[in-house]
Amino acid sequence: MNKSLNILIAASEVVPFAKTGGLADVAGALPKALKKLGHNVIVVMPRYYSIDTAELTLLEGAMGVPMGPMGEFWSGVYEGALPNSEVPIYFIDYETFYGRKGLYEEDGFSYADNDNRFLFLSKAAMQLCKKIGFKPDIIHANDWHTAAMPLLRNTRYAWDETFENAATVLTIHNMQHQGYFFKGGIDVMEIGWEHFNPHELEIHDGLNLLKGGIAHADAVTTVSRKYASEIKTPEFGFGLQEHIKTHAHKLYGILNGVDYEEWSPEVDPMIPANFSVDDMSGKAICKSELQKRFGLPERDDVPLIGFVGRFAEQKGIELIADTIEGLLHLDAQIIMLGTGEKWAEGFFSKVAAQHSDRFASFIGYNNELAHMIEAGSDLFLMPSLFEPCGLNQIYSLSYGTLPIVRATGGLDDTIENYDPHTGSGTGFKFDYPTPDALYHTVRWSVDTWHQNRPHFHAMQREAMYARFDWEQAAKGYETVYFKVLFDRKAKEFLAD
Ligand code: ADP
């Protein structure tokens, strides 16, 4: 394909400007990869007040954003570029909404006006296109925060010539958060109450923005294939499973890429020694330095199991806690890095104090330690209850650190289970999130390390050769973009 598309990508967080999760990684990396494929991409996000504007340019003139009964809100717009690229990024500056400490919440409480804050962002992104004369072929919204955009394209802006070519794509990064609000948002969107019905936006007499976005987008994508099929079930659909099933014909799974410039043992400057698939000697140094750093005995005769991630239910931390006694009896060492739920922080710190010969933890967010754990561990534990894509297991593969995962979402899509007959595979998987299943799978991996080193080494090689890059992911999105444009044109043609 060589037609160059105009693509508008809007997101509530974008790396490196603001990040709470994987959404920010995608919004920071995908636009650059699309640009490399020859497309014109612009990105829009809020100007949170943690973002320094010194290197940004303030566009001339305030931008009006119509907010229904509240009238027109006037905002500033800063322009910058995504790092090491020519992809423009626009920051919507409106102090009343974004001049706060948090992105979505403070001290565990969501901001009460999150509906207006992100309906405003969605509309501001549309208004920005008009202001700078950008006529999008594709409007790409992400999660509930910007899910109103496909709706706005089909309603409030249906007759606006700036958007006459625009088809819409909505990416779901996490189904758990749907943007459930008071129904008055209909007036703020200025879309008419006929859209307040159970097939579009309504749920329990309130608004569900993700639901409305799913109904109106020309395509809906998830960040892995398996997750696309899982969200059709009650376990993963968080109440929207029937709605997803209704729209399954336009649902696609496209696996995220990872940034191999940052996460490769050959070049990683944060690890004690570099190594590669052909010379693994540095990995042994990484292991002993990691043991030293965490105060564990420097032993090369036991496997080291690492964990990095949010201490949240999603990540299976209750499962780990419920299995801890069994895990501590294995001939292995365990290191956990994370922060989140207070009970878990306390629990894992206590285990570390009581079993300092085999278990260590660091409570907090520390990127250097995350790199050291990926590089120095033999095995990586990621028993998530659900995982739309997951990054850490992919980083682990790159360092020859074999993941132990629950076979869900992106974990299932990226990890090949060990086959003891052939020695192939890149990790160890289990299906049901029970302590028993977790224990036996960890034990299986530890036994393989002790008893079948040739297989373990073969798996490490296979893992290190696996590649999940952004070019591949961007080509997946490009295919969806062309399909939705074609379908929209065909529909218009047939309607004439
Ligand atoms: P999620 O987006 O659901 O939190 P992912 O696996 O997709 O999970 O991405 C998590 C990212 O955050 C990874 O880059 C991981 O290294 C990083 N991370 C999570 N917790 C920590 C921590 N305590 N210290 C350093 N990095 C962390």
Side-chain angles (χ1 to χ4, degrees):
M1 301 271 186
N2 51 16
K3 186 184 182 313
S4 154
L5 300 175
N6 284 347
I7 303 165
L8 161 67
I9 297 183
S12 57
E13 50 185 90
V14 181
V15 156
F17 304 102
K19 169 172 172 172
T20 67
L23 162 61
D25 292 302
V26 178
L30 176 63
K32 292 202 266 187
L34 288 167
K35 175 89 185 171
K36 282 194 191 141
L37 296 181
H39 301 295
N40 304 315
V41 192
I42 67 168
V43 182
V44 181
M45 71 173 289
R47 188 239 148 169
Y48 299 111
Y49 273 48
S50 52
I51 298 171
D52 186 5
T53 54
E55 303 283 307
L56 307 176
T57 311
L58 184 61
L59 297 194
E60 218 172 279
M63 183 174 79
V65 180
M67 292 287 279
M70 292 186 281
E72 193 141 24
F73 288 9
W74 293 90
S75 61
V77 180
Y78 285 95
E79 183 181 356
L82 290 177
N84 309 317
S85 83
E86 285 171 13
V87 177
I89 174 161
Y90 296 91
F91 300 89
I92 310 299
D93 188 359
Y94 192 71
E95 187 175 357
T96 315
F97 284 156
Y98 306 131
R100 307 182 187 177
K101 270 204 271 174
L103 268 53
Y104 315 116
E105 53 159 58
E106 239 167 83
D107 304 325
F109 293 99
S110 295
Y111 294 126
D113 58 352
N114 270 347
D115 46 355
N116 289 335
R117 294 174 77 225
F118 291 104
L119 289 177
F120 172 79
L121 174 66
S122 303
K123 274 194 159 173
M126 306 293 278
Q127 291 297 115
L128 177 81
C129 291
K130 292 160 70 72
K131 180 179 168 71
I132 63 171
F134 185 83
K135 228 174 148 172
D137 298 302
I138 295 292
I139 296 173
H140 189 158
N142 291 279
D143 276 349
W144 70 263
H145 320 94
T146 47
M149 294 175 77
L151 253 151
L152 290 168
R153 154 68 179 95
N154 289 349
T155 55
R156 170 71 170 71
Y157 292 88
W159 311 111
D160 192 317
E161 64 174 24
T162 303
F163 304 105
E164 64 185 358
N165 301 328
T168 55
V169 175
L170 170 66
T171 296
I172 300 172
H173 301 261
N174 192 332
M175 197 70 188
Q176 193 172 17
H177 309 291
Q178 300 178 358
Y180 179 55
F181 297 110
F182 170 60
K183 59 189 170 190
I186 294 279
D187 286 332
V188 178
M189 283 188 271
E190 304 167 310
I191 61 171
W193 283 88
E194 67 273 21
H195 298 288
F196 189 64
N197 66 69
H199 304 292
E200 293 179 75
L201 278 160
E202 185 187 350
I203 211 162
H204 310 312
D205 202 35
L207 282 189
N208 183 318
L209 291 176
L210 192 67
K211 185 177 182 184
I214 292 165
H216 278 266
D218 295 311
V220 177
T221 69
T222 58
V223 286
S224 67
R225 262 181 210 225
K226 178 90 184 256
Y227 197 57
S229 63
E230 285 175 338
I231 57 174
K232 292 181 210 155
T233 66
E235 186 183 354
F236 300 93
F238 290 96
L240 282 189
Q241 55 275 10
E242 292 305 319
H243 190 63
I244 289 282
K245 274 197 230 166
T246 306
H247 294 280
H249 59 282
K250 59 180 185 186
L251 182 63
Y252 306 88
I254 302 171
L255 198 70
N256 287 342
V258 302
D259 182 353
Y260 287 104
E261 279 171 31
E262 195 189 342
W263 297 93
S264 289
E266 292 89 346
V267 294
D268 191 337
M270 287 189 229
I271 61 177
N274 291 113
F275 58 94
S276 69
V277 71
D278 295 319
D279 178 6
M280 293 288 277
S281 53
K283 191 165 171 76
I285 301 171
C286 291
K287 181 171 175 176
S288 64
E289 288 295 320
L290 182 62
Q291 288 165 325
K292 206 190 289 177
R293 178 80 173 250
F294 276 84
L296 288 171
E298 283 173 59
R299 292 177 58 185
D300 61 5
D301 61 337
V302 286
L304 180 53
I305 305 171
F307 174 99
V308 180
R310 291 181 286 119
F311 284 172
E313 193 190 358
Q314 178 195 336
K315 299 292 172 188
I317 48 161
E318 285 175 35
L319 212 52
I320 300 175
D322 288 345
T323 319
I324 201 76
E325 274 193 31
L327 298 181
L328 289 169
H329 277 99
L330 296 173
D331 198 10
Q333 294 175 337
I334 304 174
I335 288 179
M336 291 186 67
L337 165 65
T339 170
E341 290 193 23
K342 293 292 161 236
W343 73 261
E345 294 184 352
F347 178 85
F348 293 118
S349 302
K350 198 167 150 201
V351 175
Q354 288 169 348
H355 302 272
S356 56
D357 61 324
R358 53 187 51 228
F359 188 98
S361 67
F362 181 92
I363 308 300
Y365 193 97
N366 186 317
N367 193 35
E368 189 201 0
L369 286 182
H371 280 253
M372 287 180 65
I373 292 174
E374 293 291 2
S377 303
D378 300 292
L379 293 155
F380 190 86
L381 187 57
M382 200 159 167
S384 305
L385 302 190
F386 67 94
E387 197 58 79
C389 176
L391 292 172
N392 280 310
Q393 85 281 10
I394 306 180
Y395 302 152
S396 302
L397 293 175
S398 166
Y399 291 83
T401 300
L402 303 182
I404 304 161
V405 301
R406 180 178 179 217
T408 182
L411 298 176
D412 199 28
D413 284 357
T414 53
I415 307 302
E416 293 296 323
N417 205 12
Y418 171 47
D419 179 348
H421 300 293
T422 62
S424 72
T426 56
F428 301 85
K429 301 208 259 195
F430 61 99
D431 281 319
Y432 296 101
T434 61
D436 217 34
L438 175 63
Y439 169 73
H440 285 290
T441 310
V442 176
R443 184 167 170 184
W444 180 33
S445 70
V446 169
D447 287 350
T448 306
W449 189 90
H450 279 292
Q451 293 159 16
N452 199 340
R453 208 59 75 79
H455 275 191
F456 201 91
H457 287 155
M459 289 173 78
Q460 285 181 305
R461 288 180 74 82
E462 197 175 330
M464 292 172 84
Y465 278 122
R467 273 293 172 269
F468 300 91
D469 55 40
W470 273 110
E471 188 188 344
Q472 208 172 317
K475 284 183 180 159
Y477 283 102
E478 187 184 51
T479 306
V480 171
Y481 293 161
F482 281 117
K483 177 166 189 335
V484 289
L485 276 172
F486 179 81
D487 287 352
R488 202 175 250 270
K489 283 275 169 262
K491 255 187 242 158
E492 281 167 13
F493 178 77
L494 292 173
D496 277 346

